[in-house]
Amino acid sequence: MNALSNFQILIVDDEPALCRMISDILRDAGFTYVLTAQSCAEARRQFAEWRPDAVLLDVMLPDGDGFSLIEELRRGRDVPILFLSARDADEDRLRGLGLGADDYIAKPFLPRELVLRLTAVLRRAYADRLKCADGLLRLGATTVDWASGTVSRGGTQTALTAKEYALLRKLADNRGHIVTIDALCYAAWGDENFGYENTLMVHIRRLREKIEEEPSRPRYLLTARGLGYKLKREDS
């Protein structure tokens, strides 16, 4: 599995056709979770709800501009943001980079170039996360081996199902932070995620049975009532 495949990318552009094209490019490159927004308002909602790992941001949007939006998003959370813009003037490029953008890519662009530049930014920003992407997750006396998809505790080993693996990986990638119910459903069931809330609860219960010493009194996989779930850090 591509170590970058679990990264969630938000595309913000007011052209639906371009959003679809970029989504296809990223999915073909191995990115599983690609979200789109076509306005500042929609981008704010998606950013807060899904907590993407990176944002591809257009400058010209129907209800504002990317220059103002990047400052707003960065106040909430520091994630990699790359501008994708038809405005290729040096002044715009310097302004975007001056506001803290991780890259500024002019339209039209080569699909391969977009993937390479996004990948380079992700590797710089998430070096530690990628370093252990194919390693181990330790939860007290429990160890999760991502490579084999198994959980070891007290000399016994159990296998994770595909859905359990996807859910636990999403929680581990955001360890210490709440992951919303919708975001978890998307991680496990993709675009067809609506109506899986009750099924999600069943999978969470089974995950706790595999990773917790006392599943009825979880120490690590915690419930954020009404919001979602969180994988607790060792030191929190």
Side-chain angles (χ1 to χ4, degrees), residues 79-208:
V79 302
I81 297 178
L82 298 80
F83 275 113
L84 292 178
S85 177
R87 294 171 54 166
D88 192 28
D90 288 341
E91 182 180 345
D92 291 323
R93 184 186 297 272
L94 292 174
R95 183 181 178 188
L97 295 173
L99 288 170
D102 295 86
D103 205 343
Y104 192 109
I105 304 172
K107 301 175 184 176
F109 50 80
L110 295 173
R112 181 63 176 158
E113 179 188 10
L114 172 63
V115 171
L116 288 173
R117 290 171 72 167
L118 172 61
T119 299
V121 167
L122 290 172
R123 290 193 180 282
R124 286 198 304 269
Y126 298 105
D128 291 340
R129 175 170 156 185
L130 287 167
K131 193 179 298 181
C132 64
D134 296 317
L136 304 176
L137 169 67
R138 301 186 188 280
L139 302 168
T142 301
T143 301
V144 179
D145 186 328
W146 296 121
S148 63
T150 56
V151 180
S152 301
R153 186 177 73 249
T156 62
Q157 189 177 83
T158 56
L160 293 169
T161 67
K163 300 301 184 190
E164 290 168 352
Y165 186 101
L167 292 170
L168 186 57
R169 194 55 186 262
K170 182 67 175 177
L171 289 160
D173 286 345
N174 294 276
R175 193 169 185 181
H177 301 283
I178 294 171
V179 182
T180 65
I181 291 171
D182 284 347
L184 286 168
C185 287
Y186 187 91
W189 291 280
D191 293 333
E192 303 297 328
N193 65 78
F194 296 106
Y196 280 97
E197 290 85 353
N198 291 334
T199 307
L200 173 64
M201 292 174 63
V202 173
H203 281 80
I204 292 294
R205 185 179 73 244
R206 290 174 179 167
L207 259 179
R208 282 175 172 153

Side-chain angles (χ1 to χ4, degrees), residues 142 151 153 160 164 168 201-224 228-230:
T142 301
V151 180
R153 186 177 73 249
L160 293 169
E164 290 168 352
L168 186 57
M201 292 174 63
V202 173
H203 281 80
I204 292 294
R205 185 179 73 244
R206 290 174 179 167
L207 259 179
R208 282 175 172 153
E209 291 171 353
K210 292 181 179 181
I211 68 173
E212 298 280 0
E213 291 184 19
E214 297 183 65
S216 61
R217 299 176 60 188
R219 178 182 174 187
Y220 294 103
L221 210 175
L222 307 179
T223 300
Y229 297 89
K230 176 175 72 172

